[in-house]
Amino acid sequence: MAKKILVVDDEPDMVTFLCALLEDNGYATCTAVDGEEGMERTKSEKPDLISLDLLMPNKTGIKMYRELKKDPETKDIPVIMVTGFAKDDVPQMDFKKWIHERAIKPPEAYIEKPVNKEVYLESIKQALM
Amino acid sequence: MNGLQRQRGEDPNPTGSFPVPTPPMWTILSNPIKKFTSSLSFKLSFYAGFIMFLAVVAFAYHTILTQEKSLLDEKIRASIKDTEIIKAAVWNGMMSKDRQVIREIVAAVGKEGGFREINIYDHRGALHYTSRSGQSEDIGSVATSSTNPLLANLDSNASLRYRFIDGGNILNVVNPLNNSAGCATAECHADPSLEKVLGALEVNLPLQDLRKKISDSRRNTLFFAIALFLVVSSILGLLVIFGVLPPIKRLQRNARNMAKGHYAPAVANYGSDEIADLARAFDDMSREVNSRTTKLDQSRRFYKDLFHAVPCYLNIVDPDYRIVQANRAFTDEFGDYTGSYCYQVFKGQDTPCLNCQVKKTFADGLSHRGEQVWTSEGGTRKAHVVVHTSPILDEDGKVSQVLEMSVDITRLKNLQAQLEKKEQEFKTLFENVPCYLSVVDKSYRIAFFNKRFVQDFGDCWGRHCYKAYKGRETKCSNCPVEATFADGSTHSSEELWHLNGSDRHIILQTAPILDERGEVVAVMEMFNDITELRLLQDELSTLGETIAGMSHDVKNILSGLEGGVYVVDSGLRQGREERVRQGWEMVKRNVEKVSDLVKDILYASKEREPEYQECDPGEILSEVFDLYQGKARDYGIELARDFEPRMGSGLLDPKGIHSAVSNLIANAISACRSSGKPNPRHIILHGSRIDTRLVIRVSDDGAGMSQEVRDNLFRKFYSTKGAKGTGLGLVVTRKIVEEHEGTITVESTQGEGATFIIDIPLMRPEKKTA
């Protein structure tokens, strides 16, 4: 049975692309446009992995990640963070640092935009093993 | 003396302008003689001996005269007695009336009795008897009173009488023969009884022996006196030489030593006489003099050293303004000018100075002070001095000299000049420094300010700083001036002041101004208007964020493109047409995004001339509305129109207006999406023409804006959208509006939405082209 991956991104194009990529590689997909919807979908769809965009309206990826990790129901779902920010560009948006400072379990992988397809798929493969 | 007189007499030219010949021997001897005769021993011995000599001579003379008189008196008494005896003998002979007997008696007595001669005269003076042998022929000769005055007046004065004849060698005695009763009755007697004196007996006694004795006595006495004189003189001389002269010489020597300045005599045993007392008294005096002289000397040396060592110039000037004496400090610095006129030395003048302290002191006897400039010869050394004069008084209390004491203040003057220059420099610096400078006193009143300050704040002298800067009535909280007054260190603060109708960012620094004791007496405020800088700084920081945002945008677009290409490929591979169309739409949207971004960047960064053309704003608004209606609907937003499709043409840049309104709509969509409110949200695009003005309003019920966001809205690179905004949109919008000489304003309440209002004049085509 194909593994189900939840793609959370506010950009419809990004969602289309990632879903096409994942489906082409044998994964089942479901989508959400912001953190709030992402949490709902996580609860309802119970995905095997979440591909999470960092910056979104309503509820950012960071907020959603924190909630995921707080909730015992969802805290074990692997997360791949997809972000348009390199840490050098905007230091205050350094998610890695933010995670380390708060002693929260880090996500399984960080993927920077533009998404390198091979790296993205390999990271997901690793995270699901 | 004689010799000297003669010597002078012989010298034809006593002034000595001619060569003096070798003096004769006596002049060579005269000095020792003179020295000898004027010596104490000579004087004492000679005069004492001479007095003794005179005394002895006088005494001897007196004694000899007395003896002589007594011897003669005895001789006279003896001769009277002899005449009485002879008279008696002769009387007997006469009584016998034998003349022969008388003759024999006379002859015998005359021979044997040591008489020279015995004569008997009658009362007529006729010689009757004589002892002279062979002189019988004289008998009967009459002796008169002229031949022998003793024979005169015998009748009237029948007394015995005598005289010295033959140079005193013979005593001539005449004893009258008185008439007696026997005689008067004698018949032989030739003379009547009436006759009182019958004759006279004359006796001559030789006195040679007596005289010789007296003469011998005189000579002996003289010899004795001379001998005594010599002996006494010699003894006295020796006594003086050995007893008096040595102590006197010692005294002399001491006196000479004293004269030479050796005041301390050796302790000596002088003995106990008066000279010794004198010598001791002299030595005591000498020691006293020595002690006082030493003290005087020490004192003199002290004052001399002081005079020379004192570290200022000392000159003593006489009434002619000549320098009598100068101390070492002066001579070392200027040279030795003793005897020169002070005004020549100090000023190089030929006459005394006009304002001369020395002159004043000579005039009133008081001290005077003044400042002068001395120039040495050649002008190589110029000295600024403070001159202080003091009078030096003579015994009568008159000012005989003036002590001029001068302190060199050249260095001080130079320092003063330097200080003044520095002060001027600092003042210039203070005045011209390109920021506001003011000095505030403890009561927060402005005491000083610079040019720049006056330009923007006016003359605020004496006003309270808080009133002058901020229009406040009380001191500001967190006042850096107060902090500096409290701790004496510098403080700074950044403040927002309302100046000339606008808010200005002011950076203010304070520094303490200390007095000599290190206490803060005032505070200097240095401040600058950094509004522009602050804006630039903000822009820079937002630029940083925006570039990050832009790069994110570009990355997103690239991702979108890449994704689109992948989706198209995937659709083509799998023969899924629907997927190919989906991918192609992605590609098109992202190409459009790139196009929009580049346009925005170009608009924001470049001076672009608007391309005016006659058009109807209603058409432009319709285009924008159609463009965004579908997109808005995708996000659950209702975009409503509130404008006429035909509003009447005007001169506009249609592309510019299209961009501006598109930006506002895009922003409104974002604001609605990020509001977190439940859909549907609403956006109203309103357009109207009011007279010649075009008013476009875009209202939404989205997130709204805070005051801060409103204030920064139209600045470059300001974005609230984080990764989704370029920060250029509203800047571009405003730029376009301003190019049309219009305004853009915003009304918004946080959480309730916002309304952007564009108000531009619609110019008539002919006017614009003209």
Side-chain angles (χ1 to χ4, degrees):
Chain A
M1 182 172 163
K3 298 270 184 189
K4 193 192 276 180
I5 294 172
L6 172 62
V7 176
V8 187
D9 203 309
D10 64 328
E11 286 291 326
D13 290 349
M14 201 64 199
V15 175
T16 309
F17 166 58
L18 291 180
C19 286
L21 181 65
L22 291 170
E23 283 165 17
D24 290 350
N25 287 278
Y27 296 107
T29 58
C30 56
T31 61
V33 294
D34 56 31
E36 224 156 287
E37 197 189 350
M39 281 310 288
E40 283 168 22
R41 288 298 178 98
T42 307
K43 299 265 172 76
S44 58
E45 301 280 346
K46 297 199 190 330
D48 298 298
L49 184 141
I50 300 169
S51 168
L52 184 57
D53 183 20
L54 203 58
L55 283 173
M56 289 174 299
N58 289 344
K59 191 174 276 180
T60 65
I62 294 173
K63 275 184 191 166
M64 184 179 155
Y65 184 79
R66 196 159 53 188
E67 276 181 36
L68 284 173
K69 292 299 159 188
K70 264 190 205 164
D71 195 334
E73 202 185 330
T74 58
K75 71 178 168 52
D76 293 328
I77 303 171
V79 177
I80 304 289
M81 293 300 287
V82 180
T83 170
F85 289 101
K87 68 177 181 340
D88 293 338
D89 292 342
V90 184
Q92 60 264 43
M93 302 302 269
D94 188 348
F95 177 73
K96 282 186 199 171
K97 195 171 163 236
W98 184 88
I99 291 289
H100 282 297
E101 278 170 3
R102 278 162 186 77
I104 297 173
K105 183 179 174 264
E108 273 61 23
Y110 297 98
I111 302 294
E112 276 182 24
K113 290 179 185 174
V115 176
N116 182 305
K117 297 188 283 286
E118 287 72 32
V119 175
Y120 183 68
L121 292 170
E122 184 57 31
S123 297
I124 288 171
K125 204 173 145 190
Q126 290 288 324
L128 289 171
M129 273 171 75
Chain B
M1 243 9 230
N2 241 353
L4 266 173
Q5 278 165 353
R6 220 178 295 141
Q7 182 197 5
R8 282 182 187 162
E10 282 166 5
D11 189 351
N13 187 5
T15 55
S17 53
F18 296 104
V20 178
T22 314
M25 187 57 81
W26 63 264
T27 47
I28 296 169
L29 289 172
S30 74
N31 276 349
I33 290 168
K34 200 177 154 192
K35 195 177 171 190
F36 174 70
T37 52
S38 60
S39 72
L40 182 66
S41 54
F42 173 79
K43 279 178 188 165
L44 202 63
S45 56
F46 178 79
Y47 290 115
F50 189 66
I51 288 161
M52 186 65 86
F53 172 75
L54 288 179
V56 169
V57 167
F59 177 73
Y61 181 71
H62 174 74
T63 310
I64 287 165
L65 276 181
T66 313
Q67 273 183 347
E68 191 180 358
K69 193 166 177 277
S70 114
L71 282 172
L72 282 172
D73 285 349
E74 198 183 330
K75 202 74 178 175
I76 287 161
R77 270 194 306 277
S79 64
I80 287 167
K81 202 168 121 187
D82 284 347
T83 56
E84 288 300 320
I85 292 166
I86 293 165
K87 215 164 97 176
V90 168
W91 188 81
N92 287 329
M94 279 177 183
M95 286 304 110
S96 63
K97 297 175 188 163
D98 188 349
R99 292 188 180 242
Q100 193 57 37
V101 173
I102 296 169
R103 278 187 204 106
E104 282 171 7
I105 289 168
V106 171
V109 174
K111 259 184 207 159
E112 301 300 324
F115 300 102
R116 180 80 173 270
E117 200 176 334
I118 299 168
N119 297 312
I120 296 172
Y121 300 91
D122 65 11
H123 71 285
R124 290 185 315 271
L127 183 63
H128 282 263
Y129 305 98
T130 182
S131 63
R132 281 178 292 188
S133 55
Q135 300 292 320
S136 49
E137 64 273 16
D138 293 335
I139 292 171
S141 62
V142 178
T144 60
S145 56
S146 62
T147 52
N148 190 347
L150 295 181
L151 292 174
N153 305 321
L154 283 171
D155 288 337
S156 55
N157 182 19
S159 61
L160 188 139
R161 55 194 74 180
Y162 62 89
R163 63 169 178 153
F164 295 100
I165 57 171
D166 193 16
N169 281 331
I170 290 167
L171 177 64
N172 176 225
V173 183
V174 171
N175 201 348
L177 296 171
N178 296 324
N179 196 2
S180 65
C183 294
T185 58
E187 61 253 358
C188 67
H189 215 293
D191 293 326
S193 57
L194 287 172
E195 294 288 333
K196 206 177 161 189
V197 177
L198 294 177
L201 173 69
E202 183 189 36
V203 176
N204 284 347
L205 280 163
L207 292 173
Q208 276 96 342
D209 289 350
L210 190 71
R211 293 284 179 201
K212 191 172 181 296
K213 237 162 127 185
I214 289 168
S215 171
D216 286 349
S217 176
R218 269 187 194 144
R219 197 178 57 239
N220 289 342
T221 304
L222 189 63
F223 283 143
F224 174 74
I226 289 168
L228 198 64
F229 161 69
L230 288 175
V231 169
V232 166
S233 292
S234 304
I235 290 169
L236 276 174
L238 288 173
L239 272 175
V240 167
I241 285 165
F242 292 106
V244 179
L245 283 186
I248 286 180
K249 277 191 176 162
R250 203 149 49 202
L251 267 175
Q252 254 179 345
R253 203 163 48 237
N254 287 352
R256 233 177 269 128
N257 284 340
M258 203 163 124
K260 281 178 191 166
H262 306 298
Y263 293 108
V267 178
N269 186 16
Y270 292 113
S272 56
D273 56 10
E274 287 79 357
I275 291 179
D277 287 344
L278 177 65
R280 270 191 290 274
F282 185 86
D283 281 1
D284 288 347
M285 182 186 81
S286 180
R287 280 187 202 98
E288 181 67 17
V289 168
N290 180 44
S291 123
R292 285 179 187 235
T293 310
T294 309
K295 278 183 194 163
L296 208 66
D297 219 37
Q298 282 172 348
S299 160
R300 197 176 59 86
R301 205 175 304 126
F302 172 73
Y303 283 111
K304 194 180 174 188
D305 289 349
L306 200 66
F307 180 79
H308 280 296
V310 82
C312 61
Y313 307 136
L314 291 180
N315 286 296
I316 297 174
V317 180
D318 71 6
D320 294 334
Y321 304 107
R322 280 178 195 274
I323 297 171
V324 178
Q325 204 180 349
N327 75 339
R328 207 172 299 132
F330 179 82
T331 51
D332 287 354
E333 190 67 34
F334 296 94
D336 189 357
Y337 286 104
T338 309
S340 304
Y341 293 105
C342 60
Y343 47 81
Q344 278 182 342
V345 176
F346 300 152
K347 300 273 182 81
Q349 291 178 181
D350 295 330
T351 50
C353 314
L354 286 175
N355 184 24
C356 175
Q357 281 76 31
V358 175
K359 189 180 178 181
K360 286 181 195 165
T361 300
F362 271 122
D364 59 14
L366 300 172
S367 289
H368 289 277
R369 267 173 77 93
E371 222 179 291
Q372 293 186 4
V373 181
W374 291 354
T375 318
S376 69
E377 275 180 307
T380 50
R381 171 80 163 85
K382 198 173 176 186
H384 289 268
V385 289
V386 171
V387 177
H388 184 105
T389 55
S390 304
I392 299 174
L393 307 176
D394 62 9
E395 300 82 28
D396 302 330
K398 284 182 184 165
V399 184
S400 63
Q401 291 172 333
V402 167
L403 176 69
E404 198 175 6
M405 190 173 74
S406 316
V407 180
D408 197 334
I409 54 162
T410 311
R411 264 174 59 84
L412 211 65
K413 275 276 175 192
N414 290 342
L415 278 176
Q416 198 180 349
Q418 280 174 21
L419 203 70
E420 276 166 12
K421 197 178 157 206
K422 274 272 175 287
E423 202 179 289
Q424 193 55 47
E425 281 173 13
F426 278 124
K427 204 173 169 186
T428 310
L429 196 71
F430 186 90
E431 282 294 346
N432 297 316
V433 75
C435 67
Y436 307 111
L437 276 182
S438 66
V439 174
V440 178
D441 67 13
K442 279 194 164 169
S443 57
Y444 299 95
R445 286 179 190 278
I446 299 169
F448 203 84
F449 39 78
N450 70 344
K451 272 187 203 163
R452 176 77 198 277
F453 185 96
V454 180
Q455 280 167 13
D456 287 1
F457 292 89
D459 188 346
C460 294
W461 193 87
R463 289 183 68 194
H464 285 111
C465 55
Y466 43 81
K467 178 101 181 162
Y469 304 157
K470 300 189 188 172
R472 290 170 63 103
E473 292 302 327
T474 52
K475 189 162 62 67
C476 317
S477 55
N478 297 325
C479 172
V481 174
E482 188 180 26
T484 298
F485 270 123
D487 64 10
S489 54
T490 58
H491 289 272
S492 67
S493 77
E494 201 177 322
E495 299 179 1
L496 195 71
W497 292 6
H498 196 73
L499 274 182
N500 305 327
S502 66
D503 285 333
R504 311 300 292 173
H505 285 272
I506 299 288
I507 185 150
L508 187 144
Q509 278 184 308
T510 57
I513 295 174
L514 308 174
D515 65 5
E516 319 77 56
R517 289 170 299 167
E519 281 176 22
V520 185
V521 286
V523 168
M524 183 165 79
E525 285 186 286
M526 188 174 72
F527 47 98
N528 227 332
D529 185 346
I530 54 157
T531 309
E532 296 302 323
L533 189 74
R534 185 56 74 221
L535 289 177
L536 201 65
Q537 201 178 15
D538 288 351
E539 277 178 10
L540 276 174
S541 85
T542 48
L543 176 66
E545 288 172 25
T546 307
I547 287 171
M550 269 165 63
S551 66
H552 176 78
D553 248 7
V554 172
K555 275 181 194 170
N556 274 346
I557 294 167
L558 278 177
S559 296
L561 279 174
E562 213 174 322
V565 169
Y566 176 83
V567 174
V568 170
D569 275 351
S570 169
L572 287 175
R573 257 200 319 274
Q574 293 170 24
R576 290 166 66 179
E577 196 183 331
E578 170 252 332
R579 182 168 275 193
V580 172
R581 207 180 298 121
Q582 208 177 9
W584 189 241
E585 283 300 320
M586 276 170 75
V587 172
K588 278 205 289 190
R589 264 202 301 277
N590 283 296
V591 169
E592 202 177 313
K593 276 186 190 172
V594 170
S595 162
D596 285 351
L597 182 68
V598 171
K599 266 192 269 179
D600 275 358
I601 292 172
L602 284 176
Y603 253 107
S605 63
K606 251 174 136 181
E607 289 297 326
R608 194 192 67 99
E609 269 305 305
E611 290 165 13
Y612 290 107
Q613 58 186 76
E614 210 182 330
C615 55
D616 193 318
E619 286 176 19
I620 304 169
L621 292 179
S622 296
E623 276 174 32
V624 177
F625 180 80
D626 293 342
L627 191 63
Y628 279 94
Q629 194 179 27
K631 193 174 184 180
R633 201 178 293 123
D634 287 348
Y635 292 117
I637 297 163
E638 281 180 17
L639 178 61
R641 56 183 293 168
D642 178 23
F643 57 89
E644 298 297 323
R646 297 269 166 216
M647 294 168 73
S649 62
L651 205 59
L652 292 166
D653 175 10
K655 282 184 187 168
I657 297 297
H658 189 280
S659 288
V661 178
S662 299
N663 270 326
L664 292 180
I665 301 280
N667 278 348
I669 291 170
S670 291
C672 290
R673 287 186 66 202
S674 66
S675 67
K677 292 178 185 171
N679 287 336
R681 304 258 54 86
H682 304 87
I683 297 171
I684 301 163
L685 176 59
H686 165 89
S688 62
R689 228 181 135 147
I690 302 167
D691 296 335
T692 57
R693 306 190 72 78
L694 171 67
V695 179
I696 301 164
R697 245 198 315 261
V698 177
S699 307
D700 67 73
D701 56 357
M705 283 169 274
S706 66
Q707 179 67 43
E708 192 211 332
V709 175
R710 275 207 307 275
D711 288 346
N712 292 300
L713 214 51
F714 298 103
R715 284 170 45 204
K716 271 182 194 170
F717 308 118
Y718 186 84
S719 171
T720 56
K721 289 185 280 181
K724 302 288 186 293
T726 59
L728 290 171
L730 278 174
V731 177
V732 171
T733 303
R734 188 177 70 162
K735 203 173 167 194
I736 292 162
V737 171
E738 283 174 357
E739 277 166 6
H740 284 82
E741 294 173 22
T743 57
I744 179 164
T745 51
V746 62
E747 292 166 2
S748 173
T749 310
Q750 173 96 54
E752 289 180 14
T755 302
F756 282 85
I757 304 146
I758 292 172
D759 183 345
I760 50 176
L762 269 177
M763 271 159 277
R764 300 183 69 81
E766 62 273 20
K767 200 177 176 185
K768 197 77 193 175
T769 44

